[in-house]
Amino acid sequence: MSASSPLFGDLLLKLGVVSPGQVQEALALQALTGQRVGEALISLGYVSREQIQDALGEALGLNQDKGPAQPPLGELLVGLKYVTLAQLAESLARQRRDGRRLGEILVEQGHCTYKQIYEALGVQNRIAGRQDLPRPAMEGRRRVVVVDDSPLACAFVQEGLVALGYEVLCFQDPYEALEGMGRLQPSIVLSDLEMPGLDGVELCRRLKEGPRSAIPIIVLTANDREAERVRGLRAGADDYVNKSASMDELAARIESVVRRTGETERMRKLFARYTSDAVVEEILKSADAAVLAGEKREVTVLFADIRNFTGLAESLPPEQVVAVLNQVLGRLSDAVLTCGGTLDKFLGDGLMAVFGAPVARPDDALRGLQCAKMMMEAFVELRAVAEAEWVAHGREGQPLVLELGVGLNSGVVVSGNIGSALRAEYTCIGDAVNVAARLCALAGPGEILVGERTRELVDANETAFEDLPPVRLKGKQQPVPLYRAL
């Protein structure tokens, strides 16, 4: 039952809120505009959203704060001879066991109908003399998907959240909800925990393991047992709210979860530009895995520089120079991310990458070396493509060949956000960085020069090195041992 059903008009009639003529007018407006019956009545000025929400809440038995003059729903149903005392006792016993609402249980057991519940609610409201209270609307409009096999539960949440300024889409079939996630792209999903076929735990698990894993989920259930809460949270739910909670509390939880997950997604997108997905996941999973404020740690630093690029830039139009540079740097960046490194910065016709910050791994030095070799392989492929294009266009002579030099060094650095309050970047500074940059400058075309500490960290069985004469580097008093990766 929802505000789009003609029976909803019957409910409001039973409550004495609207007249038969007003309901007919709303139905006529619905046929013209496609509005729900409740929305049509609101737009015509006959009811308020609070009245609609309260009506649905009473049908679910969710309104707990009744005045002393308001008789219980079960008592009224017995007085109207819609249920017997034995049927009511049976339903109340089941309610105590599973925590569900009385109205749903009575209908499910076949003891009465929703229309009879609505009629009892009308009597209950007239006795209580309930007054409408204004509810402030929230700014903004988020899309909320509600998944609950109970039509009354869906309608209750929908009416309450719509009144607070949300766009709400309801699904009673969890499979249909899963299929529509990509198309609907909701801000958040509210799912019942106990549903036939596909329960809330499994729905949560499938959503979190699928392509829409970033969508936050709040589990809604009448069962407040700790074990059930833990099941939902372990499946990946972002929060847990009891169905008896007020709409204001539910809205506050929605905003909190959306804000929290939005910040996580923002961090994910920020780091995804510089490092691999695996490293991003480790950063987000553990705050201790990445100290962005600045810390000392041992890392492996890689500098790569394109040789002959200046000559190429002088021989081609600017737009072609940019296209070539983007193509080459794109392949180098792919190698960094594939090996789990962090792309620190682009340096004109080269780049700097770091292995070991913001997330450290025991094989960071080996990853850096493998990255350097992947870069060299990429340049072989790029040269082959360039030569083939040169021949295909019938050009004379030989194309200008681009080469790559790489410097690799390991050591202790300071890593973190470096800069001012207005402009900062995550990077590493220290002697190990300076040595890696100078080794890159010494490297010839197609050469990977490696520092002593990197050589020590890499397992000798993994690769071969050629010993080179020690070199004097700027800022170093003693010659620095040098190796060439083979």
Side-chain angles (χ1 to χ4, degrees):
M1 178 64 58
S2 69
S4 62
S5 169
L7 290 179
F8 189 75
D10 294 340
L11 167 62
L12 296 177
L13 281 172
K14 296 293 185 182
L15 292 174
V17 176
V18 295
S19 67
Q22 290 170 339
V23 171
Q24 292 302 316
E25 188 177 347
L27 291 173
L29 182 59
Q30 181 190 40
L32 292 174
T33 64
Q35 288 180 300
R36 297 173 297 167
V37 174
E39 292 289 343
L41 286 166
I42 292 171
S43 64
L44 291 169
Y46 295 144
V47 296
S48 68
R49 290 193 183 278
E50 184 71 19
Q51 289 172 304
I52 291 176
Q53 179 187 347
D54 286 350
L56 291 167
E58 292 295 348
L60 281 171
L62 292 177
N63 293 339
Q64 302 293 329
D65 51 345
K66 309 299 179 189
Q70 187 175 41
L73 176 62
E75 181 179 317
L76 282 174
L77 290 168
V78 172
L80 292 170
K81 300 188 184 302
Y82 291 149
V83 299
T84 66
L85 283 172
Q87 291 170 337
L88 177 60
E90 176 190 355
S91 298
L92 287 172
R94 180 167 180 178
Q95 182 189 38
R96 286 191 293 271
R97 288 197 306 271
D98 59 23
R100 295 174 59 198
R101 299 307 167 188
L102 181 61
E104 286 186 329
I105 295 174
L106 286 167
V107 173
E108 183 181 286
Q109 294 297 309
H111 298 327
C112 62
T113 66
Y114 283 130
K115 291 187 67 174
Q116 291 171 333
I117 290 177
Y118 294 156
E119 185 172 347
L121 290 172
V123 175
Q124 188 183 56
N125 288 322
R126 285 193 291 273
I127 293 174
R130 181 171 47 199
Q131 301 294 321
D132 278 338
L133 296 175
R135 182 182 295 273
M138 292 179 57
E139 295 184 2
R141 189 171 177 83
R142 299 192 191 279
R143 174 171 288 177
V144 180
V145 165
V146 180
V147 187
D148 197 313
D149 60 313
S150 167
L152 275 175
C154 284
F156 176 78
V157 175
Q158 183 177 40
E159 291 301 329
L161 291 181
V162 167
L164 292 174
Y166 293 90
E167 178 187 359
V168 183
L169 303 172
C170 294
F171 293 87
Q172 295 174 37
D173 183 349
Y175 293 99
E176 183 182 356
L178 273 176
E179 292 175 1
M181 289 299 169
R183 172 175 51 86
L184 298 174
Q185 296 184 343
S187 301
I188 194 167
V189 173
L190 310 182
S191 175
D192 186 22
L193 188 60
E194 298 173 353
M195 296 183 290
L198 187 70
D199 64 12
V201 172
E202 181 63 16
L203 173 69
C204 184
R205 187 188 65 79
R206 294 191 185 189
L207 187 58
K208 289 299 183 180
E209 292 180 357
R212 307 295 170 185
S213 59
I215 299 176
I217 303 173
I218 291 180
V219 170
L220 294 176
T221 182
N223 193 331
D224 201 28
R225 292 194 298 267
E226 181 179 357
E228 295 302 312
R229 294 200 303 271
V230 172
R231 282 183 65 223
L233 295 173
R234 282 181 174 171
D238 297 275
D239 204 348
Y240 181 103
V241 180
N242 193 282
K243 283 187 176 180
S244 62
S246 68
M247 281 297 146
D248 291 326
E249 179 184 347
L250 178 57
R253 294 289 189 93
I254 289 174
E255 292 305 310
S256 175
V257 169
V258 170
R259 185 166 55 249
R260 186 171 66 246
T261 55
E263 180 65 17
T264 300
E265 188 62 19
R266 188 186 72 82
M267 292 295 294
R268 186 192 307 275
K269 290 179 179 179
L270 174 65
F271 275 101
R273 298 172 58 190
Y274 305 104
T275 189
S276 66
D277 291 341
V279 173
V280 173
E281 290 303 320
E282 290 188 39
I283 294 172
L284 296 178
K285 281 191 296 185
S286 174
D288 294 335
V291 180
L292 304 184
E295 65 169 351
K296 288 185 177 181
R297 59 166 65 209
E298 185 173 44
V299 301
T300 296
V301 184
L302 180 151
F303 278 87
D305 183 70
I306 303 172
R307 306 294 191 251
N308 299 331
F309 189 78
T310 302
L312 178 68
E314 293 174 350
S315 63
L316 294 176
E319 60 272 14
Q320 290 188 28
V321 173
V322 173
V324 171
L325 185 60
N326 286 339
Q327 182 184 27
V328 174
L329 292 179
R331 293 296 297 273
L332 299 184
S333 301
D334 289 344
V336 173
L337 300 182
T338 299
C339 294
T342 299
L343 182 58
D344 188 289
K345 61 176 67 70
F346 290 108
L347 302 166
D349 55 0
L351 60 79
M352 169 185 169
V354 180
F355 296 82
V359 175
R361 290 169 171 168
D363 60 346
D364 282 322
L366 179 59
R367 288 172 180 268
L369 184 57
Q370 291 175 343
C371 175
K373 292 185 175 182
M374 285 185 63
M375 290 178 172
M376 292 301 178
E377 293 172 358
F379 258 71
V380 172
E381 297 173 4
L382 288 171
R383 283 198 299 271
V385 171
E387 291 172 0
E389 290 180 351
W390 188 276
V391 173
H393 288 84
R395 296 172 182 170
E396 298 180 356
Q398 294 292 324
L400 185 61
V401 177
L402 294 179
E403 296 284 359
L404 184 71
V406 176
L408 204 62
N409 188 51
S410 302
V412 176
V413 302
V414 176
S415 65
N417 282 321
I418 308 298
S420 68
L422 297 178
R423 178 73 169 87
E425 64 176 356
Y426 184 82
T427 189
C428 296
I429 57 175
D431 182 66
V433 178
N434 298 334
V435 171
R438 291 183 173 92
L439 293 183
C440 179
L442 289 174
E447 191 173 41
I448 302 172
L449 295 184
V450 178
E452 183 177 26
R453 180 57 179 162
T454 302
R455 171 69 183 83
E456 293 175 357
L457 292 172
V458 174
D459 188 342
N461 296 325
E462 295 289 343
T463 188
F465 294 94
E466 177 185 353
D467 291 356
L468 299 177
V471 294
R472 288 189 174 276
L473 300 179
K474 182 180 178 181
K476 306 291 288 186
Q477 294 183 351
Q478 300 296 327
V480 174
L482 187 63
Y483 306 89
R484 178 189 293 124
L486 302 177

